[in-house]
């Protein structure tokens, strides 16, 4: 089992602070990370998922430039 997952993302504008939030199927926040994008609109994050059980999660990425969400499935 892989203890982490890499998430790549692209924002509409360069720079700024970006927040990544992973929620379980009941809407509870199970992981949260903040990132500074510096001068780039393209970023990535490594999420530690070793403590999370199998299931479907909602990953949200947001900044002042915009918001996006994706479904993340963890299978063990």
């Amino acid at each position: 089992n892989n203890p982490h997952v890499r998430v790549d993302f692209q924002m509409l504008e360069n720079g700024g602070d970006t927040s990544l939030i992973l929620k379980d199927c009941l809407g509870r926040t199970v992981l949260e990370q903040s990132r500074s994008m510096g001068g780039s609109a393209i970023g990535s994050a490594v999420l530690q998922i070793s403590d999370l059980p199998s299931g479907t999660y909602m990953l949200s990425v947001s900044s002042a430039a915009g918001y996006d969400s994706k479904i993340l499935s963890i299978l063990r």
Side-chain angles (χ1 to χ4, degrees), residues 8-11 13-14 37 40-44:
D8 297 317
F9 53 90
Q10 183 172 355
M11 303 308 288
E13 297 177 11
N14 292 347
M37 296 288 288
S40 177
I42 299 172
S44 66

Side-chain angles (χ1 to χ4, degrees), residues 25-61:
C25 62
L26 298 176
R28 297 176 294 203
T29 299
V30 295
L31 188 94
E32 188 169 358
Q33 287 187 9
S34 294
R35 287 247 169 306
S36 175
M37 296 288 288
S40 177
I42 299 172
S44 66
V46 176
L47 305 177
Q48 297 298 325
I49 59 168
S50 58
D51 293 338
L52 298 177
S54 293
T56 301
Y57 297 83
M58 181 65 68
L59 176 65
S60 303
V61 180

